[in-house]
Amino acid sequence: MQQALGGRSSWLSGALLLAVVVLLDLVAAEPKLVPHHATIVSRASSNYTFVIAGGGIAGLTLADRLTEDPSGEHCKIEHLVLTYLYLVTVLVIEAGPFDQGQDGILVPGAFAPYLYFWPNLVTAPQVGLDNRVFPAVCAQVVGGGSTINAMVYLRGTIVDYSQWEALGNPGWGWADLLPYFLKSENYTRPAASLAREANISWDETTRGHSGPVKYSYPNYFYPGSANWWNAAKSAGLPPIQDPNNGREKQGIFAMPSLLDAPSMTRSSARRNHFDRVAGSRPNYHILASNTVSKVLFRGKQAVGVNYLATGGGEVSSVYATKEIILAAGALHTPQILQLSGIGPKKLLKKFKITVISDLPGVGQNLQDQSTLTIPYTFTANLFPNSNSIVTNATYNAEQRALYDAQNPSAYSIISTISTNIASLSLQDTTTDYKKTTAKARAQDPARYLPKDIDRTVLEGYKAQRRMTLKQFEHAGAGIGNLHWGTANNALIYHLKPLSRGYVAINSTDPLAAPLIDFRSATDPTDIALYVALFRKNRQIFSQPSMQVLGPTEISPFGEQLQTDEQIANVMRQTINPSNSHQCCTAAMLPRKLGGVVSNDHKVYGVRGLRVADISFWPMEISAAPTATMYAAGEKLADSIKDEYCLDGHC
Ligand SMILES: Cc1cc2nc3c(=O)[nH]c(=O)nc-3n(C[C@H](O)[C@H](O)[C@H](O)COP(=O)(O)OP(=O)(O)OC[C@H]3O[C@@H](n4cnc5c(N)ncnc54)[C@H](O)[C@@H]3O)c2cc1C
Ligand SMILES: *[C@@H]1O[C@H](CO)[C@@H](O)[C@H](O)[C@H]1NC(C)=O
Ligand SMILES: *[C@@H]1O[C@H](CO)[C@@H](O)[C@H](O)[C@H]1NC(C)=O
Ligand SMILES: *[C@@H]1O[C@H](CO)[C@@H](O)[C@H](O)[C@H]1NC(C)=O
Ligand SMILES: *[C@@H]1O[C@H](CO)[C@@H](O)[C@H](O)[C@H]1NC(C)=O
Ligand SMILES: *[C@@H]1O[C@H](CO)[C@@H](O)[C@H](O)[C@H]1NC(C)=O
């Protein structure tokens, strides 16, 4: 049936006659085709308009928006608009299961993300980090990262997106994205008294209230967060009004959190883009616990996918009349592409995979926002702090009871962290920022990349490097975060790496892990920035309002480490290469810059295939990814509706 409507041209020609036939036919066939509410299916039963691989943030945002007008496709002939009873149907195939609503998922203070980590993913030995090997952490659950992440909800800055745009992507500036940020979200204001006491401020003009993604602020804060706030201020970091208004300057702020405010529970994509609409969407299906193994092509046209149970089993196929959309995240989308014959020719040949599109950039350009933990002891730390839930059973029980009665409680805060943070530009971090930048600029960009890097990928890297170095001199670009959880650790997040890694298949078995190499800190400038951030952290801890707590930086760090080299050596033994913000492995860049997708997410060299997940980012931003992924999902949904004249978009 949907085949008959496959291309717009085919039904534009015989529109009127066809309309009647389609209408009658679908009305008759509909009860068999699809149930009357969104459905968790155990097997794909028919063909769909769109098949989405991966039910994370991007996948579920798209599935929700593409199914929201079940009357579907509209046909405009001159001034006459005909609406067919043509159902847009969407199938999401997600490798992980539905969560069970455990406390570890829903209750921030009981945060237990490991419930749904992707199993058996490890990095290659990290040559920049003392050859250490790490688990590569990403989600395997309906909702993807949003179901298990730390709920930090931050947009990038004006500079971030304008540089994406300058890399050859019209339509990706701040002004283009802002309407989608607003559309995606529903911000709940904190109580005025809490806002005053906890230094929570925001710019009302850039906060949305009518979208599905709920966020607010924890309704509690630890007293030590004030000591840190005042110390950061006296170390020269100013409070900023709103981290999410494009911020031309960096500074300190209260962290917005993906909380459904009335219950202080997590607002995940599963809840806000599936559960919310499940009762009214016969055309929205999710097949959980199944892994997409391959995209199927007819010539260069993507027509379907193969999939199998994530635990192993028989391979099945399902077909899409319009498009296949990959939303499997930065570690798995390149794997699916490569298994499907889209990727570096040499790699595909090695595994005897027929080349559909030779795209050297698939799997390249891997980035993350690595982290460093600095342990401290205190002689006079304040009670309560983020460790009290763990060490004091009375306090724990008291706070849990308060939370369950919907009163202010430490359980509204993700465990082990605090409620405020600093975002720093390089000039906020070190007075040497011009020297650091000049040194990096003088370096041959290819110097620390793998020797056999593809020429176009190298050109793309050079362009990105030029942009990143401009950011190093820009007050509006965050290069790092500093955080103190109010207990035993300070944290550094490095936001803008110059090092680049890759993801590559290691087998044609779709259930086998790909090779993952972040190549973290292979470019020495990354370590230089870390050292600068580390010194800034020390400066904060040396201010009177932190000193009253009696902090001592302890092993493997400590006072004995004074030179840059001493500090860097310990860092190479302690940096964690991933904050699970992996990105950029199917980059939105021109093909001559090693790009994989165009500015509307279409994979080069084929038709009917897009990449929706964070793989499409060209570079990391001055923030965590979630807010931008929800907005990008909204933006892509609109451009797909425009293209196929869906839901009134003609
Ligand atoms: C532990 C953790 C903490 C984090 N903390 C934060 C935070 O505080 N703030 C923030 O902004 N970001 C955070 N992130 C990052 C953020 O959640 C991700 O960047 C974001 O979810 C990426 O969205 P996505 O749609 O690209 O992919 P994801 O949300 O990762 O979704 C991809 C989905 O595809 C599925 N999949 C993969 N391969 C296949 C396949 N072959 N077939 C079918 N399905 C497949 C996966 O199971 C997954 O559910 C965190 C992530 C993790 C894991
Ligand atoms: C689904 O699509 C495939 C390939 O386009 C086609 O061969 C098949 O007949 C379709 N099946 C159904 C149930 O529509
Ligand atoms: C926004 O969130 C609040 C709090 O959960 C809720 O009461 C309100 O109905 C939501 N608004 C919309 C438009 O969904
Ligand atoms: C909030 O800011 C004020 C003024 O700078 C400061 O006195 C107070 O300690 C801060 N409190 C917190 C919780 O940050
Ligand atoms: C443990 O928590 C209780 C309840 O908040 C508190 O009264 C007590 O002082 C705490 N004990 C310690 C050692 O901090
Ligand atoms: C890659 O494949 C080789 C050969 O099958 C195997 O020995 C190795 O363990 C694999 N590496 C990873 C990281 O899975």
Side-chain angles (χ1 to χ4, degrees):
M1 186 70 277
Q2 292 168 10
Q3 289 303 69
L5 286 173
R8 218 189 306 176
S9 51
S10 68
W11 52 268
L12 272 172
S13 48
L16 268 176
L17 179 62
L18 201 61
V20 177
V21 176
V22 167
L23 200 136
L24 291 177
D25 204 20
L26 255 185
V27 167
E30 194 235 22
K32 254 190 281 167
L33 266 179
V34 281
H36 283 287
H37 46 81
T39 307
I40 300 167
V41 293
S42 55
R43 212 172 172 286
S45 54
S46 65
N47 291 344
Y48 291 81
T49 320
F50 298 96
V51 172
I52 299 175
I57 294 181
L60 296 189
T61 304
L62 271 177
D64 176 3
R65 292 308 188 187
L66 293 176
T67 55
E68 70 188 340
D69 181 359
S71 70
E73 195 152 4
H74 299 248
C75 163
K76 195 172 173 188
I77 307 165
E78 309 262 329
H79 303 292
L80 181 66
V81 177
L82 296 176
T83 301
Y84 296 111
L85 248 183
Y86 166 88
L87 284 173
V88 172
T89 56
V90 172
L91 173 68
V92 177
I93 303 177
E94 162 55 46
F98 280 83
D99 71 72
Q100 301 298 304
Q102 303 93 321
D103 277 4
I105 300 303
L106 293 183
V107 179
F111 184 47
Y114 50 79
L115 290 170
Y116 297 106
F117 282 174
W118 195 287
N120 308 323
L121 277 190
V122 291
T123 69
Q126 296 296 286
V127 296
L129 298 179
D130 229 21
N131 282 313
R132 288 174 299 138
V133 169
F134 298 81
V137 174
C138 67
Q140 191 186 71
V141 62
V142 174
S146 72
T147 299
I148 62 166
N149 71 24
M151 296 168 57
V152 173
Y153 186 69
L154 293 172
R155 300 175 188 159
T157 66
I158 293 170
V159 207
D160 289 316
Y161 305 115
S162 72
Q163 290 199 339
W164 282 13
E165 190 165 46
L167 284 165
N169 300 302
W172 281 92
W174 171 261
D176 302 301
L177 283 175
L178 183 57
Y180 292 108
F181 283 125
L182 296 175
K183 180 179 184 184
S184 70
E185 68 180 30
N186 177 5
Y187 169 55
T188 302
R189 299 169 191 91
S193 55
L194 174 76
R196 216 168 28 246
E197 287 163 26
N199 295 322
I200 301 170
S201 64
W202 64 94
D203 174 351
E204 192 54 53
T205 64
T206 57
R207 299 258 170 145
H209 296 282
S210 55
V213 178
K214 298 191 177 182
Y215 76 109
S216 186
Y217 292 88
N219 54 23
Y220 187 94
F221 63 98
Y222 300 110
S225 67
N227 295 66
W228 185 87
W229 177 272
N230 293 313
K233 249 174 84 175
S234 55
L237 303 175
I240 57 178
Q241 189 205 5
D242 190 329
N244 285 352
N245 68 357
R247 53 192 157 128
E248 291 283 7
K249 286 242 183 299
Q250 305 302 294
I252 50 177
F253 51 85
M255 281 186 286
S257 178
L258 286 146
L259 286 159
D260 185 353
S263 61
M264 286 286 148
T265 52
R266 173 189 298 271
S267 177
S268 67
R270 179 255 167 101
R271 299 189 121 202
N272 59 45
H273 281 297
F274 179 71
D275 291 351
R276 183 181 58 88
V277 299
S280 59
R281 297 281 174 87
N283 49 341
Y284 181 170
H285 289 188
I286 296 186
L287 176 60
S289 303
N290 276 265
T291 298
V292 170
S293 53
K294 191 179 178 175
V295 180
L296 303 171
F297 287 91
R298 194 179 299 130
K300 302 285 183 194
Q301 174 75 37
V303 294
V305 300
N306 280 349
Y307 64 94
L308 72 170
T310 299
E314 226 175 277
V315 173
S316 307
S317 307
V318 59
Y319 297 91
T321 53
K322 294 204 188 304
E323 290 198 12
I324 306 299
I325 299 163
L326 301 183
L331 300 180
H332 293 104
T333 280
Q335 180 183 26
I336 300 173
L337 285 169
Q338 291 164 2
L339 290 171
S340 309
I342 300 173
K345 197 167 53 190
K346 222 167 94 189
L347 177 72
L348 305 185
K349 282 215 164 122
K350 182 173 155 197
F351 292 100
K352 302 194 167 58
I353 295 169
T354 308
V355 178
I356 305 275
S357 178
D358 175 18
L359 287 180
V362 174
Q364 295 291 320
N365 200 40
L366 174 64
Q367 297 159 54
D368 204 323
Q369 299 178 320
S370 61
T371 68
L372 176 68
T373 302
I374 307 162
Y376 281 87
T377 56
F378 295 85
T379 53
N381 201 6
L382 304 177
F383 172 84
N385 58 57
S386 64
N387 210 21
S388 305
I389 273 190
V390 182
T391 56
N392 181 335
T394 315
Y395 175 75
N396 187 344
E398 164 199 297
Q399 292 303 311
R400 183 61 202 232
L402 287 167
Y403 180 84
D404 290 341
Q406 304 200 343
N407 287 314
S409 160
Y411 267 90
S412 65
I413 307 172
I414 283 277
S415 60
T416 78
I417 65 173
S418 177
T419 44
N420 54 22
I421 195 166
S423 182
L424 294 87
S425 67
L426 190 55
Q427 52 191 283
D428 296 327
T429 313
T430 168
T431 50
D432 270 351
Y433 73 97
K434 284 194 169 142
K435 225 165 83 189
T436 308
T437 310
K439 197 169 159 196
R441 209 167 259 141
Q443 176 186 308
D444 172 7
R447 172 128 185 235
Y448 298 102
L449 295 178
K451 296 290 163 267
D452 60 350
I453 193 95
D454 172 80
R455 190 180 44 80
T456 62
V457 173
L458 176 58
E459 287 308 308
Y461 175 68
K462 285 182 185 167
Q464 291 178 47
R465 208 168 194 284
R466 274 195 300 276
M467 300 286 176
T468 305
L469 295 181
K470 271 194 206 161
Q471 293 191 10
F472 287 4
E473 295 170 326
H474 197 299
I479 59 98
N481 291 138
L482 297 178
H483 179 72
W484 178 48
T486 71
N488 305 332
N489 295 309
L491 278 167
I492 298 180
Y493 301 93
H494 176 215
L495 303 177
K496 296 290 170 72
L498 288 172
S499 302
R500 292 293 184 271
Y502 63 86
V503 179
I505 50 169
N506 187 37
S507 154
T508 52
D509 175 359
L511 300 179
L515 300 176
I516 299 165
D517 190 350
F518 289 107
R519 302 185 70 263
S520 198
T522 48
D523 189 315
T525 304
D526 291 346
I527 289 286
L529 262 55
Y530 254 117
V531 171
L533 287 161
F534 180 87
R535 291 193 184 284
K536 193 70 188 182
N537 181 68
R538 272 189 176 170
Q539 193 192 340
I540 293 174
F541 274 73
S542 70
Q543 302 304 308
S545 54
M546 283 306 289
Q547 283 295 306
V548 295
L549 308 177
T552 305
E553 183 192 307
I554 57 167
S555 172
F557 294 97
E559 280 302 303
Q560 78 285 2
L561 303 180
Q562 285 301 328
T563 68
D564 287 0
E565 204 192 346
Q566 287 168 334
I567 295 167
N569 281 342
V570 178
M571 282 181 170
R572 291 199 188 273
Q573 296 158 23
T574 44
I575 287 170
N576 182 329
S578 174
N579 194 24
S580 299
H581 298 175
Q582 309 95 349
C583 75
C584 312
T585 50
M588 175 175 75
L589 287 170
R591 214 169 160 169
K592 62 177 192 299
L593 296 184
V596 176
V597 301
S598 61
N599 70 334
D600 54 0
H601 301 249
K602 289 180 178 167
V603 176
Y604 294 127
V606 297
R607 292 183 308 274
L609 183 65
R610 297 196 216 218
V611 171
D613 63 78
I614 192 168
S615 308
F616 89 86
W617 290 16
M619 300 195 288
E620 290 281 11
I621 57 173
S622 309
T626 299
T628 304
M629 283 314 304
Y630 276 119
E634 296 283 3
K635 185 173 188 296
L636 178 55
D638 262 9
S639 63
I640 292 175
K641 287 177 179 182
D642 286 344
E643 180 154 344
Y644 298 104
C645 220
L646 305 176
D647 192 12
H649 287 242
C650 282

